[in-house]
């Protein structure tokens, strides 16, 4: 079995944003319901979270419902073409209004027929005279802060959080050449993973397990671990894949977008936008993984594999080939995640110790600890 070179990962951070890594993690953080509740309150309800892809709602009136984190939200494109995100709870008595996705001229509550505009304002109330002095101007659907970036719709449930772009450092500039807003899913799958949400994310960033879990797949193509760069709370791992010689001409025929640096074409770039948005990026395809907690020992993995709009011929064949490989590799990971969680559940190992090749997970835990202990700095 060939092994990943155990050289230390190159860990660097942007000048004013220090490396946050920790070397140990309490196992109780994967099993304690109170800890999970605090993660939801202190992290998920204060961080920027992706709720939809913009192309899911291309026309005014298109909407898609997001049901995670104990919330129900509606992302809708209003008449001006702007994406708005609204709470999916009617202002009459709080009923859930919309399901799934669709198109509507007005957002209507199925219970007593209150009706809202695409901007959330209250438009219609049946037999309004039956209410005492209803101030319809103040009874619109509650709005959620939202933003768009990379073709995704992001929300933040904290009205005091800094704007999305202010939290990203130089990531937008670095990712701009890929034009990820041109990417379109060829496969989307939600699955329940029998492990804590952090275990799923860490696994997707960890290279220490590669020779053992992926001995017959990734390990054959990876000769050294990735370098690691932090951008405040977020990270990038850059992983050279395969001997590059034979791939160069293939890459030239598949590469659209740009201008790219040579490494952006030849190496897989893996970004974690804290806390739960992980993408694997090459100019030819994009993998998106989002992880949402369900309870301490299970989470929902929202997985999408994307091609660039208009991909044809060899570029398209490559996308489907990589997608099939990616599904198999994910299956390899899922087999160990169940074992990990069942082992941790026994609490016989109270402290977990991280290796250099788990440096991205180390940084993630350092950031998580900071968010849990104090408000994030703008
Ligand atoms: S709860 Fe929506 S109209 Fe009554
Ligand atoms: Fe893996």
């Amino acid at each position: 079995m060939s092994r990943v070179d155990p050289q230390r990962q190159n860990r660097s951070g942007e000048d004013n944003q220090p490396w946050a890594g920790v070397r140990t993690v309490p196992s109780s953080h994967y099993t304690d319901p109170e800890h999970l509740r605090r993660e939801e309150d202190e992290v998920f309800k204060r961080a920027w979270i992706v709720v939809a892809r913009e192309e899911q709602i291309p026309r005014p009136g298109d909407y898609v419902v997001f049901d995670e984190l104990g919330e129900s939200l509606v992302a809708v494109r209003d008449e001006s073409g702007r994406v708005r995100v609204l709470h999916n709870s009617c202002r009459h008595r709080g009923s859930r209004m919309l399901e799934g996705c669709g198109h509507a001229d007005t957002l209507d509550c199925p219970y007593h027929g209150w009706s809202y505009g695409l901007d959330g304002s209250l438009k219609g109330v049946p037999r309004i005279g039956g209410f005492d002095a209803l101030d319809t101007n103040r009874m619109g659907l509650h709005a959620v802060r939202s933003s768009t970036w990379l073709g995704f719709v992001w929300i933040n449930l904290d009205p005091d959080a800094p704007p999305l772009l202010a939290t990203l450092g130089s990531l937008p500039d670095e990712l701009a050449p890929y034009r990820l807003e041109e990417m379109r899913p060829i496969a989307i799958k939600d699955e329940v993973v029998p492990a804590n949400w952090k275990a799923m994310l860490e696994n997707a960033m960890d290279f220490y397990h590669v020779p053992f879990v992926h001995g017959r797949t990734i390990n054959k193509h990876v000769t050294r671990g990735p370098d690691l760069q932090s951008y405040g709370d977020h990270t990038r791992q850059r992983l050279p894949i395969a001997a590059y010689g034979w791939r160069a001409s293939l890459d030239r025929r598949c590469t659209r977008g740009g201008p790219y640096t040579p490494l952006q074409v030849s190496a897989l770039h893996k970004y974690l936008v804290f806390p739960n948005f992980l993408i694997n990026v090459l100019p030819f395809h994009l993998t998106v993984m989002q992880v949402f907690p369900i309870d301490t020992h299970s989470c929902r993995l929202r997985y999408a594999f994307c091609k660039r709009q208009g991909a044809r011929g060899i570029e398209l064949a490559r996308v489907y080939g990589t997608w099939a490989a990616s599904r198999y590799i994910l299956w390899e990971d899922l087999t160990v995640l169940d074992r990990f969680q069942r082992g941790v559940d026994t609490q016989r190992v109270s402290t977990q110790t991280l290796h250099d090749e788990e440096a991205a997970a180390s940084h993630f835990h350092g950031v998580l600890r900071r968010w849990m202990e104090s408000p994030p700095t703008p």
Side-chain angles (χ1 to χ4, degrees), residues 89-97 108-116 126 131:
S89 294
C90 176
R91 291 295 303 277
H92 174 216
R93 298 189 57 193
S95 172
R96 178 185 174 90
M97 295 191 13
D108 300 334
C109 179
Y111 200 168
H112 310 93
W114 283 30
S115 176
Y116 302 85
F131 289 102

Side-chain angles (χ1 to χ4, degrees), residues 161-365:
L164 173 63
L165 282 181
T167 70
L168 295 172
S170 60
L171 279 179
D173 288 342
E174 188 172 315
L175 283 163
Y178 295 103
R179 300 184 205 166
L180 296 185
E181 59 281 359
E182 294 177 359
M183 295 297 194
R184 294 290 178 271
I186 61 163
I188 300 176
K189 191 164 169 43
D190 276 12
E191 50 197 306
V192 175
V193 176
N196 186 277
W197 70 277
K198 299 185 293 297
M200 179 69 243
L201 265 188
E202 290 153 14
N203 173 272
M205 300 189 287
D206 155 25
F207 283 82
Y208 194 35
H209 76 279
V210 166
F212 306 100
V213 178
H214 306 297
R216 291 181 302 166
T217 51
I218 308 172
N219 198 51
K220 292 185 185 307
H221 305 289
V222 174
T223 53
R224 65 184 173 88
D227 64 13
L228 177 63
Q229 164 94 30
S230 62
Y231 304 76
D233 295 344
H234 320 299
T235 50
R236 179 199 72 198
Q237 294 181 92
R238 205 165 44 187
L239 182 70
I241 40 172
Y244 193 60
W246 68 267
R247 269 184 45 219
S249 69
L250 184 61
D251 286 351
R252 268 197 302 277
R253 292 159 68 188
C254 297
T255 297
R256 292 184 289 142
Y260 299 107
T261 65
L263 267 177
Q264 282 181 316
V265 179
S266 65
L268 180 72
H269 285 52
K270 185 183 282 283
Y271 293 90
L272 175 71
V273 180
F274 184 86
N276 75 333
F277 180 78
L278 194 135
I279 51 177
N280 293 338
V281 187
L282 274 167
F284 342 107
H285 46 67
L286 167 73
T287 309
V288 184
M289 298 171 79
Q290 260 194 295
V291 184
F292 296 99
I294 297 173
D295 52 32
T296 54
H297 53 275
S298 65
C299 62
R300 189 173 344 276
L301 170 64
R302 184 154 296 161
Y303 165 98
F305 197 88
C306 308
K307 67 179 176 68
R308 192 177 300 281
Q309 218 171 9
R312 287 196 300 266
I314 196 158
E315 183 183 343
L316 191 59
R318 182 181 195 165
V319 168
Y320 277 95
T322 310
W323 167 64
S326 158
R327 290 302 303 176
Y328 185 80
I329 291 160
L330 181 59
W331 173 81
E332 290 179 323
D333 284 321
L334 294 179
T335 61
V336 289
L337 281 168
D338 177 36
R339 282 172 181 248
F340 167 82
Q341 188 67 40
R342 284 188 291 145
V344 169
D345 278 345
T346 68
Q347 286 293 323
R348 287 296 177 187
V349 173
S350 59
T351 303
Q352 300 172 32
T353 311
L354 299 176
H355 185 269
D356 276 348
E357 290 173 12
E358 298 172 289
S362 160
H363 182 270
F364 166 72
H365 275 285

Side-chain angles (χ1 to χ4, degrees), residues 35-50:
H35 190 81
L36 176 62
R37 188 194 62 72
R38 288 191 52 234
E39 287 174 343
E40 288 171 338
D41 288 350
E42 301 300 330
V43 179
F44 283 94
K45 303 226 165 152
R46 294 163 57 201
W48 286 94
I49 303 288
V50 166

Side-chain angles (χ1 to χ4, degrees), residues 139-157:
M139 296 293 278
L141 296 175
H142 290 302
V144 180
R145 289 181 65 194
S146 64
S147 193
T148 54
W149 178 51
L150 304 177
F152 294 89
V153 180
W154 301 72
I155 60 103
N156 197 311
L157 294 164

